[in-house]
Amino acid sequence: MREHFIEGNELFFDREKLSDEWLLKLYKGMLEPRLIEEKMLILLRQGKISKWFSGIGQEAISIGVTSALHEDEYILPMHRNLGVFTARNIPLHRMFSQWQGTTGGFTKGRDRSFHFGTQRYKIIGMISHLGPQLGVACGIALGHKLRKEQKITAVFTGEGGTSEGDFHEALNVASVWDLPVLFCIENNGYGLSTPTREQYRCEHLIDRAVGYGMEGHQINGNNITEVFNRISEIAQGMREHPRPVLIEFETFRMRGHEEASGVKYVPLDLLQHWEKRDPLINYRAFLMNKNLLNLDKNDLLEQEIRKNIDQNLEIAFAENAPSVSTDNELQDVYAPFKFKLESPGNNSREIRFIDAIAQALKEAMHRHDNCVLMGQDIADYGGVFKITEGFVDTFGKDRVRNTPICESAIIEAGMGLSINGFKAIIELQFADFVSSGFNPIVNYLAKSHYRWGQVADVVLRMPCGAGVGAGPFHSQSNEAWFTHTPGLKVVYPAFPADAKGLLISAIEDPNPVLFFEHKALYRTVRQAVPTGYYNLPFGKAALLNAGTQISIITFGAPVHWALELIADMLEISIALIDLRTLVPLDWDAINDTVVQTGKVLLLTEDNLTGSFITSLAARIGDECFEYLDAPVKCLASLDTPIPFAKDLENNYLAKDRLKNAVKELVDY
């Protein structure tokens, strides 16, 4: 690398109180990822790795920030932050194996490059959608704050990522809750090929800090001493006085977004301008001017690092590709959870469905002191359905938290809490609003354990359903959005006693659970419910009525439609199965009732196309065909949005068509 030396300006680097040892440590910290990258670019050309996202020219940011943080403080890097990983001393062969998709990596070959996390090194990797990790950082920082730990969390994004809604939501949440999150923007000029002038119109990205009521700092991202000294000072202040801080690092991406894309869209004079500001080369010149480094010492240091790279590459290249095992693949979708039954006591009390939900939450909050409730208006107001009324008096505002209207950031914060050892329960004010937080559910919570073994100990409470005259945006039964996604569990009870026991189980379970609560049942269905703490297993359907002529399989409010029908059609022997949980599914109960009756009617409140029952019908037809005496019948709501007017809503729902559907199937 001698040919790249340029004359450095010693005044450019302010050593402040940094010792000679620290100055050299920062240099070695930047040199290692640079040499690794140079090796990776060779391997890329040789076809030995498939992709590379270069951070050449940005090393001072990763090394400076990581060096300023304590080893037990979390960092959430991006794909150009190789220096974060090397500065945390992750064994190189493990990273090389990760990039190769071999057994020594962090994801068992299931994800690539820097898409992984490691609790051991307190690094939580990104997903390709960029934005979610910003809200995750908020949750991690909230955990530290709740435990009164003087720790900060650093999270990276690029200037392009600041255009995502997750960025704005996360900054807002961090500001409102005074969370010690260091938001690090690497402004490197281009989001792939899109220049900054086409990403935003403010003069500087830190101008946005004022809008969120937080402080912002602009730092020369190519100056290692400026990065380290300023971040060290800012970080210590955040530990002592928890608050979020927005940092804009000015830097430049010297290579393509990834190698295949190149840099033809970048003006040559701009590349030349930033080439002269190379953070490693200029800093090396500074050290030489200070007589802290010379050519011979530099050569020895490079040789030492290159030798270590080659030795670790040999280890990685000697590893095997992951062995293919379908059982292992399916097993790792969910975190292990050994359900321990806690049976109800002898005492019970007749309560409403809504009261059972409230009781379950109270019991869980008492049992799990690391459990945090979050949602819009759930604190002093008690939520729009008053389920959490009085909770603040019992558990305090730290654990019962009102949230801004930003579903994505709050769901992401729930994931961050889980990473930091908490249980998160999030009330979606209405299940319909979950669409505003869809990405972190299906791409972050659902995939984390499969990818790198991280639990997502998050329960999403989903008040759902029609029949209450609430129109298209407050009435959907949208469970099918999530039953399709591996990694999520989906629960949908129809009775108060089930709701209480299953919600307690959902909170015990370390996997992400979507818990659907039908609003029309809240105050209309009453039942004797055991007092105290008890749980119920997932994947166990309830046989509510034995029958021999026809089986109705359903869940949620339609269970009560079916019960009314059975009482009205005593001449027909109808078996009624309440699934209670959709994922996991009690297939044995379904198979048994098909064998018993030979005729099946699947009933849902959801509209037909793409509903949960259509996929269930296909499976029954495939696996139980020999026992069927008639085609599997699916009865669902109309394929329209849910209308507001009562008569239109009644026409939309399948309830009034149920009787004829049963007759047709019996007569088949």
Side-chain angles (χ1 to χ4, degrees):
M1 295 179 68
R2 293 189 182 197
E3 66 275 18
H4 297 300
F5 285 156
I6 62 175
E7 184 178 354
N9 180 353
E10 64 183 76
L11 297 178
F12 183 69
F13 296 97
D14 184 0
R15 67 181 296 169
E16 291 191 7
K17 297 180 181 179
L18 293 177
S19 66
D20 293 350
E21 181 183 3
W22 255 107
L23 291 173
L24 289 169
K25 180 179 179 181
L26 293 174
Y27 174 68
K28 183 178 180 181
M30 288 196 295
L31 181 60
E32 184 177 24
R34 176 67 64 91
L35 296 180
I36 291 172
E37 285 222 37
E38 291 179 354
K39 184 69 173 183
M40 292 304 111
L41 293 175
I42 293 172
L43 295 177
L44 182 69
R45 289 192 291 270
Q46 293 175 344
K48 294 182 178 180
I49 60 173
S50 62
K51 231 173 186 32
W52 188 254
F53 297 87
S54 177
I56 288 177
Q58 299 180 211
E59 296 92 346
I61 300 170
S62 296
I63 296 302
V65 171
T66 308
S67 300
L69 264 63
H70 298 162
E71 288 188 355
D72 60 353
E73 292 177 321
Y74 284 94
I75 304 180
L76 290 81
M78 297 281 285
H79 47 277
R80 296 189 208 290
N81 296 122
L82 173 58
V84 170
F85 297 84
T86 57
R88 282 284 166 94
N89 296 312
I90 292 181
L92 294 187
H93 66 87
R94 293 211 64 191
M95 286 199 293
F96 298 158
S97 297
Q98 172 65 25
W99 304 337
Q100 290 288 101
T102 53
T103 53
F106 291 88
T107 63
K108 302 181 182 180
R110 293 167 179 162
D111 212 337
R112 65 182 190 178
S113 63
F114 296 103
H115 293 204
F116 71 91
T118 161
Q119 285 284 3
R120 178 177 178 181
Y121 298 98
K122 292 294 184 285
I123 293 176
I124 308 300
M126 59 176 288
I127 67 170
S128 296
H129 302 69
L130 307 182
Q133 67 186 47
L134 297 159
V136 172
C138 289
I140 294 173
L142 175 59
H144 290 315
K145 187 174 181 181
L146 292 176
R147 286 195 292 254
K148 295 180 171 52
E149 298 169 334
Q150 290 189 321
K151 296 179 181 179
I152 73 167
T153 302
V155 59
F156 286 84
T157 191
E159 83 290 334
T162 67
S163 297
E164 291 196 299
D166 300 78
F167 174 82
H168 301 277
E169 291 191 16
L171 264 63
N172 191 48
V173 170
S175 181
V176 170
W177 288 353
D178 289 319
L179 300 177
V181 180
L182 187 71
F183 293 98
C184 301
I185 305 171
E186 293 181 287
N187 190 343
N188 62 18
Y190 287 83
L192 209 157
S193 69
T194 304
T196 55
R197 66 179 179 274
E198 296 178 20
Q199 287 284 359
Y200 55 86
R201 283 297 175 92
C202 52
E203 185 176 0
H204 302 292
L205 286 170
I206 55 163
D207 295 341
R208 298 180 179 181
V210 176
Y212 294 105
M214 68 174 67
E215 66 184 82
H217 301 271
Q218 193 171 52
I219 296 176
N220 181 351
N222 285 28
N223 185 322
I224 183 62
T225 57
E226 182 178 345
V227 174
F228 176 72
N229 288 327
R230 293 192 65 185
I231 294 301
S232 295
E233 181 182 359
I234 292 166
Q236 186 56 33
M238 292 170 64
R239 295 182 191 107
E240 295 171 358
H241 305 286
R243 67 194 189 279
V245 176
L246 181 65
I247 306 292
E248 180 182 8
F249 292 107
E250 293 182 297
T251 186
F252 197 76
R253 171 163 55 77
M254 296 302 296
R255 303 188 70 85
H257 169 73
E258 43 84 29
E259 286 304 304
S261 64
V263 291
K264 289 183 178 180
Y265 47 83
V266 182
L268 180 60
D269 60 342
L270 187 59
L271 284 170
Q272 292 172 341
H273 170 85
W274 282 98
E275 186 176 12
K276 295 175 182 177
R277 286 154 180 78
D278 185 291
L280 180 67
I281 296 174
N282 280 286
Y283 188 57
R284 179 193 296 128
F286 163 75
L287 294 177
M288 288 186 172
N289 287 340
K290 289 292 184 181
N291 295 317
L292 298 176
L293 187 69
N294 57 42
L295 293 177
D296 291 336
K297 287 182 179 179
N298 188 74
D299 286 346
L300 287 174
L301 187 57
E302 286 194 18
Q303 290 171 17
E304 176 187 324
I305 294 173
R306 292 184 194 279
K307 181 179 179 181
N308 188 45
I309 292 170
D310 291 338
Q311 288 174 342
N312 279 272
L313 278 171
E314 286 183 16
I315 296 173
F317 287 150
E319 291 174 350
N320 297 320
S323 59
V324 177
S325 167
T326 300
D327 288 342
N328 288 342
E329 289 297 288
L330 294 172
Q331 177 179 298
D332 284 352
V333 172
Y334 297 97
F337 174 54
K338 189 174 182 179
F339 176 77
K340 183 179 179 181
L341 181 65
E342 293 203 33
S343 300
N346 296 323
N347 297 324
S348 63
R349 181 183 173 191
E350 185 172 289
I351 59 174
R352 303 168 298 175
F353 193 107
I354 198 168
D355 303 319
I357 297 293
Q359 282 190 13
L361 292 174
K362 286 179 182 177
E363 293 287 348
M365 290 287 280
H366 282 298
R367 175 68 66 94
H368 308 287
D369 59 7
N370 65 336
C371 191
V372 178
L373 296 177
M374 299 187 290
Q376 296 161 25
D377 305 296
I378 70 165
D380 296 307
Y381 187 67
V384 294
F385 299 106
K386 301 300 181 183
I387 288 175
T388 53
E389 192 168 30
F391 276 43
V392 167
D393 296 333
T394 304
F395 303 108
K397 284 194 172 183
D398 278 350
R399 296 182 63 201
V400 183
R401 308 184 71 88
N402 278 340
T403 70
I405 302 175
C406 46
E407 283 81 4
S408 275
I410 298 306
I411 292 168
E412 291 154 12
M415 181 69 209
L417 281 170
S418 177
I419 288 170
N420 205 357
F422 286 80
K423 289 180 173 291
I425 305 171
I426 300 168
E427 177 182 304
L428 278 300
Q429 197 168 73
F430 292 88
D432 314 66
F433 299 166
V434 76
S435 56
S436 295
F438 195 73
N439 179 39
I441 297 173
V442 301
N443 284 317
Y444 208 121
L445 274 65
K447 296 177 172 62
S448 287
H449 188 266
Y450 174 77
R451 290 169 54 240
W452 59 280
Q454 173 60 49
V455 301
D457 202 343
V458 181
V459 175
L460 302 176
R461 290 187 44 242
M462 306 277 285
C464 64
V468 292
F473 306 116
H474 293 77
S475 305
Q476 295 175 88
S477 186
N478 48 0
E479 66 281 349
W481 295 359
F482 305 102
T483 55
H484 177 71
T485 303
L488 303 175
K489 295 187 178 183
V490 181
V491 182
Y492 205 148
F495 294 96
D498 288 345
K500 181 177 178 179
L502 289 170
L503 182 51
I504 286 174
S505 295
I507 297 166
E508 292 176 343
D509 197 317
N511 293 285
V513 180
L514 287 99
F515 194 90
F516 286 83
E517 307 163 12
H518 201 292
K519 303 185 302 291
L521 304 182
Y522 270 163
R523 291 176 170 84
T524 61
V525 176
R526 304 178 69 93
Q527 187 183 34
V529 175
T531 58
Y533 191 100
Y534 71 92
N535 56 20
L536 293 171
F538 286 1
K540 296 293 182 183
L543 176 63
L544 301 183
N545 196 69
T548 58
Q549 290 180 270
I550 183 176
S551 297
I552 297 178
I553 301 173
T554 187
F555 52 92
V559 170
H560 298 276
W561 306 348
L563 286 171
E564 292 176 16
L565 179 81
I566 289 170
D568 187 51
M569 301 182 72
L570 297 176
E571 71 278 10
I572 301 175
S573 180
I574 302 174
L576 176 59
I577 300 290
D578 174 10
L579 292 176
R580 301 199 293 188
T581 67
L582 309 184
V583 182
L585 181 68
D586 189 349
W587 177 251
D588 289 340
I590 294 168
N591 183 77
D592 290 346
T593 196
V594 173
V595 172
Q596 178 70 24
T597 68
K599 294 183 178 181
V600 180
L601 188 151
L602 303 179
L603 176 62
T604 186
E605 184 178 308
D606 193 8
N607 61 291
L608 181 63
T609 303
S611 64
F612 176 75
I613 65 168
T614 55
S615 63
L616 182 56
R619 184 176 177 185
I620 292 172
D622 181 38
E623 298 187 29
C624 304
F625 180 78
E626 61 189 293
Y627 303 108
L628 290 171
D629 297 324
V632 177
K633 187 169 186 62
C634 293
L635 185 62
S637 297
L638 301 179
D639 279 328
T640 70
I642 303 172
F644 162 65
K646 183 177 180 179
D647 289 346
L648 293 176
E649 185 178 37
N650 288 340
N651 182 64
Y652 165 83
L653 294 170
K655 181 178 180 180
D656 291 344
R657 298 186 288 276
L658 178 57
K659 190 171 186 177
N660 285 338
V662 169
K663 287 182 178 179
E664 290 175 4
L665 190 56
V666 170
D667 292 341
Y668 181 86

